[in-house]
Structure formats: structure tokens, C-alpha cells
Amino acid sequence: MNNIVEFVQDTYKTKEFIPLHEPRFTGNEKKYLNECIDSTFVSSVGKFVDEFEKKIADFTGAKYAIATTNGTSALHISLLLADVQKDDEVITQPLTFIATCNAISYCNAKPVFVDVDLDTLGLSPSSLEKFLDENCEIKESRCINKTTGKTIKACVPMHTFGHPCRIDEIKDICEKWHIVLVEDAAESLGSYYKGRHTGTFAKLAAISFNGNKIITSGGGGCIITDDEELAKKAKHITTTAKVPHRWEYTHDMIGYNYRLPNLNAALLVAQLEQLELFLQNKRELAKEYEEFFTNIADITFIKEPQQSRSNYWLHAVLLKDRADRDEFLKFTNDNGVMTRPIWTLMNRLEMFKECQCTDLTNSIYLEDRVVNIPSSVRI
């Protein structure tokens, strides 16, 4: 595996420790931060919040964007706006970051896990359809899980590592079964499926700007939607549901302190100015990785699915088996190249081990074999 370490070191032109994914601040970040500080508007009100919301909506093609403190809060509010309530069920994939299931749990709802597709790493339409056909029925325009008697209110597919899932097929299935589709697009800013940006297929979607994302403000997230009423409600309840008034403190519903500060928005406006360059750089890196791993036995570089254009947020390889995966992880990390395995399946975690699952053959296969490799934009 020495040749792998040497290739990564040569690619990043350093013999020092190479992290998995680190942010790049090479544009107007300091300038806009200073402007924000000088204005004294550093909290949730300020021109950069408004500017960021307009620019992220324009970039994705959504009509509205609502800036939030992080991607998890964006997903939480999206699920609330989808009317996910206590004891409802939400279908999602077990191969995801914990934030997906945490957001479902914040609504006092319960996840149901269906399998993923091997080529997209995202929720499988065939697994979803099979589960619904075998376990569910429509009663009074609601999807009822015959096993539990609970309402399946929503479905949350995730675009894993920025690779789009078959979101159009999932959407059609959800509409047939009266299930609200909410996209977890946390990792897929700059990714497209059939020419359309991820997150714009669903009624609501959440995007993350965490410190390891393709653009970042150290945190941050947003909700995107084409529904004006939902957009207004999202902005209202993420700002403590305060009724506008020059001095009175009146709140008309339970709200959340989820509004993105102007300081963070200033960073994101600067980062957005560089997003196209970041995306181009990542695609170039993906091409180099793909060519290199073509000549390496028993390791396959994971490419974007058909009919997709991925942002290649995190590059990943597929090893022969779990033993090879563990050997790869140990060797690379011991030699200064940070790699990490894909997430532990959600249904294996203590909090979700009692949740209903379909056959998870593909998820288990990927859990045993997928490793993320250094994916930072190169300077």
C-alpha cells in the first residue's frame, strides 16, 4: 500500500499529515467578516444572511432558501413542516450520518430503514417499493404501516457523499403512497440528477455547511423549498417564532433558535463565490483517483452514478472485504494519510436497534468495504 500513500502525498504535494477534508478560505472571507464586524450586525439579522439566502436559492434553482445554524436543524424543521408528529414513522436509509436519524427523533418519530443501491449508496427505490407493497396500506389518504399500526408520514433519502440517489423514482413512489418526501441534501451542494440540483425534487430539503463540507462557515445549514408558505413558516419558527414588532416580545407558537448568524453568513457568501472552482477541482481529483485505482487490484474507486453529476464531496473506494478495509485504514492512518470507514449502520446503534428494517444486504456490504480518502480542494 506504499504506492497509495505516495500517490496521495504527491497529489497534495506534501509529506505532512493529510486530513480527510479541510476547508479552504482563499477568497473574500476576511474582508466580509471585517465588514460584518464593523457593521455590528453579527447575530441573526444582517445583510449577509439575506444575501446568502438569495444566492443559495439562485444556485440550486429553488425559489426560497432559509439559513439555519446547521444541517441538522434544517432537517429537523423540514420534518416539522412536513407534519411529522409524535409516534409517526419516517422511512430513511441505514447507511447515513447520525444527523438524519437524530432529526427524525427530535420530532418524537421513529425511523424505518430500507436498503440502499450499490451504485448510488443512497436509498433504493426498489427496496422502498417492496417494503411499502408488503407492509403498508392507504387509509384515509394516509400510509399506514400494518406491522405497527403507525402512520408513515415522510421519507428522507440522503445523497451519500454527494452522489445523487434515484430521487425521481423515490418521489413517484412517495406520491403514490401519500408520503411527504424530504431530501437530506446535506452533502450534495453542487450535485445534479438528470440536470436538476439535488434538494429540488422534494417539498423540502436540508443542506449542511459544516466545517468539513464543500463550502463552510464553520457550521451552518439551510432549507430549500419552492413553497412560499412553507418558506415563511420556516423562517418564522427558526427565529423563535417572534411576531414582528418594534419593541414587544410576542411569540405565537413553539419556535427554535435556529437562525444563522450574520457572521457565519458572511463566510458563506465568500465561499459561494469560489464554489464553482471547488467543484471543478474536486472533479479533477476524482479523475486522478479513478485512473490511479484502475491499476490497483481489489480496490475500486466509487464514481458518480449514471445520469448524475456529483460534487464528489468525499471521495471513496470499495475494498474486497472487511479485513482488507481494516488493513487499508490502519496502514494509511499510520502513515499520515487520514482515511475513515463509512458510517456504522443506524440500525446497529443502541437508539435505533429496535427499528423496523427491510433486507439490508447492500447496506451491510458497503458498511464492510467503503473507505473515504482525502478529498480536500487542492491549492
Side-chain angles (χ1 to χ4, degrees):
M1 295 185 187
N2 276 319
N3 56 344
I4 295 172
V5 170
E6 290 170 0
F7 174 76
V8 175
Q9 289 174 337
D10 183 62
T11 299
Y12 282 93
K13 296 180 174 56
T14 181
K15 298 288 185 181
E16 298 179 1
F17 174 76
I18 300 172
L20 187 69
H21 194 284
E22 61 183 355
R24 300 295 188 219
F25 301 112
T26 58
N28 287 315
E29 287 87 354
K30 292 181 180 179
K31 175 184 174 183
Y32 295 165
L33 279 175
N34 283 333
E35 184 179 333
C36 182
I37 292 167
D38 290 343
S39 75
T40 74
F41 286 93
V42 296
S43 190
S44 57
V45 175
K47 78 164 195 174
F48 287 110
V49 178
D50 297 334
E51 184 177 351
F52 168 70
E53 288 178 331
K54 182 181 185 307
K55 287 187 173 180
I56 201 72
D58 289 345
F59 181 84
T60 61
K63 290 182 180 178
Y64 306 100
I66 302 90
T68 62
T69 49
N70 51 56
T72 308
S73 60
L75 187 55
H76 178 204
I77 295 300
S78 295
L79 290 167
L80 291 177
L81 294 174
D83 195 34
V84 174
Q85 300 179 25
K86 182 179 180 181
D87 295 328
D88 283 340
E89 294 178 343
V90 177
I91 295 173
T92 192
Q93 58 203 63
L95 195 72
T96 186
F97 182 56
I98 188 67
T100 308
C101 292
N102 280 345
I104 294 169
S105 300
Y106 297 162
C107 300
N108 294 305
K110 192 171 184 178
V112 174
F113 298 115
V114 303
D115 206 6
V116 300
D117 284 328
L118 289 176
D119 58 338
T120 69
L121 314 182
L123 193 144
S124 168
S126 59
S127 181
L128 173 63
E129 191 161 40
K130 186 173 187 292
F131 170 79
L132 292 169
D133 286 340
E134 293 179 355
N135 296 277
C136 300
E137 60 183 350
I138 301 295
K139 283 186 176 181
E140 299 177 350
S141 299
R142 293 185 299 142
C143 179
I144 304 298
N145 186 337
K146 292 185 289 186
T147 303
T148 63
K150 305 294 186 182
T151 299
I152 297 179
K153 188 65 66 69
C155 177
V156 184
M158 200 265 284
H159 302 291
T160 308
F161 305 147
H163 298 306
C165 61
R166 292 181 173 84
I167 191 65
D168 56 345
E169 296 178 40
I170 295 169
K171 180 180 180 181
D172 289 344
I173 295 167
C174 288
E175 288 177 351
K176 174 185 174 183
W177 284 90
H178 300 270
I179 297 170
V180 180
L181 179 62
V182 176
E183 281 178 81
D184 186 342
E187 303 174 356
S188 62
L189 180 66
S191 295
Y192 297 82
Y193 181 68
K194 295 183 178 179
R196 187 171 169 182
H197 197 284
T198 54
T200 62
F201 291 81
K203 194 171 186 177
L204 296 145
I207 301 175
S208 171
F209 309 106
N210 186 38
N212 64 353
K213 294 300 189 293
I214 192 163
I215 64 169
T216 185
S217 58
C222 76
I223 300 165
I224 57 173
T225 182
D226 286 343
D227 189 306
E228 183 179 7
E229 183 179 344
L230 288 178
K232 288 179 179 177
K233 191 170 182 180
K235 184 171 287 191
H236 184 58
I237 62 177
T238 56
T239 319
T240 68
K242 184 178 183 297
V243 178
H245 192 279
R246 285 191 298 163
W247 58 80
E248 295 288 355
Y249 287 94
T250 303
H251 305 262
D252 59 0
M253 62 189 299
I254 298 296
Y256 300 85
N257 189 16
Y258 282 174
R259 190 76 171 139
L260 184 74
N262 200 39
L263 271 173
N264 298 86
L267 276 172
L268 283 172
V269 169
Q271 289 268 284
L272 268 174
E273 293 172 353
Q274 304 165 83
L275 179 55
E276 291 291 355
L277 292 175
F278 291 172
L279 291 168
Q280 179 184 344
N281 192 295
K282 281 179 167 289
R283 294 190 68 81
E284 291 170 356
L285 179 58
K287 184 177 180 181
E288 291 187 38
Y289 273 139
E290 182 182 352
E291 291 174 353
F292 174 78
F293 282 108
T294 298
N295 301 312
I296 304 295
D298 298 324
I299 303 180
T300 303
F301 179 71
I302 295 175
K303 299 184 289 185
E304 63 191 357
Q306 292 184 353
Q307 299 182 289
S308 298
R309 185 175 179 86
S310 174
N311 65 3
Y312 280 109
W313 167 57
L314 281 186
H315 299 297
V317 291
L318 189 73
L319 281 294
K320 183 176 67 174
D321 52 34
R322 195 177 189 97
D324 272 17
R325 185 206 75 165
D326 292 345
E327 182 183 356
F328 183 94
L329 287 165
K330 185 177 188 309
F331 186 88
T332 50
N333 282 282
D334 284 349
N335 285 275
V337 174
M338 184 179 177
T339 59
R340 75 169 193 200
I342 204 166
W343 313 282
T344 299
L345 297 185
M346 295 295 102
N347 60 294
R348 298 193 196 278
L349 301 181
E350 184 67 26
M351 309 84 74
F352 307 116
K353 66 180 183 181
E354 303 299 328
C355 293
Q356 189 174 3
C357 301
T358 66
D359 175 79
L360 300 178
T361 299
N362 290 345
S363 298
I364 294 167
Y365 180 89
L366 293 167
E367 180 193 34
D368 285 343
R369 293 166 174 81
V370 173
V371 172
N372 292 121
I373 55 180
S375 308
S376 304
V377 170
R378 296 165 298 167
I379 298 176

